[in-house]
Amino acid sequence: QVQLVESGGGLVQAGGSLRLSCAASGRFFWSYTMGWFRQGPGKEREFVAAVTENSATTYYADSVKGRFTISRDNAKNTVYLQMNSLKPEDTAVYYCAATGRFRTTAPEGFNSWGQGTQVTVSS
């Protein structure tokens, strides 16, 4: 498995931007599909975005399409989530996740998780 550490969260006003980073340790980072999920207060964890191992394909939740961009740098073992035009409803703990066998964007399809980073968007 791969170990994941997120960073880049914080407090931002509505309409602002943040870039989250997820640093991975362990071997074969390049072979994992990487995802971002979030969990807001009183809500279930939900899918945000994913990128396949060679960056050939990206997936986004409808709620973030056109505002968020996922990318990865396999040379740095890092995946990013650029978040623009943030809304108060984007407030959540954001988690990075990895899977070696991508089948679904549901959380149960990912088996390595980071500790999460808080993103708070004020109105």
Side-chain angles (χ1 to χ4, degrees):
Q1 288 193 348
V2 62
Q3 289 74 47
L4 306 171
V5 178
E6 303 94 336
S7 62
L11 173 64
V12 64
Q13 289 188 333
S17 298
L18 281 175
R19 189 175 82 154
L20 305 183
S21 299
C22 172
S25 60
R27 301 177 69 185
F28 307 120
F29 169 79
W30 56 268
S31 68
Y32 290 90
T33 289
M34 301 299 297
W36 285 97
F37 294 78
R38 66 186 182 187
Q39 188 165 13
K43 297 181 180 180
E44 294 186 352
R45 191 168 298 188
E46 64 175 0
F47 168 75
V48 174
V51 58
T52 56
E53 63 272 17
N54 56 3
S55 300
T57 307
T58 56
Y59 302 85
Y60 294 95
D62 288 342
S63 58
V64 307
K65 280 181 181 176
R67 299 189 299 123
F68 291 11
T69 302
I70 189 170
S71 62
R72 65 190 297 162
D73 185 338
N74 287 343
K76 296 183 178 180
N77 280 17
T78 302
V79 62
Y80 305 96
L81 185 68
Q82 178 67 44
M83 305 186 295
N84 299 329
S85 302
L86 282 161
K87 304 175 182 180
E89 51 263 44
D90 295 319
T91 295
V93 177
Y94 282 71
Y95 297 90
C96 178
T99 177
R101 300 186 66 182
F102 180 60
R103 293 290 184 270
T104 174
T105 57
E108 55 265 32
F110 290 73
N111 51 21
S112 294
W113 291 85
Q115 294 298 312
T117 185
Q118 177 70 47
V119 171
T120 303
V121 184
S122 63
S123 57

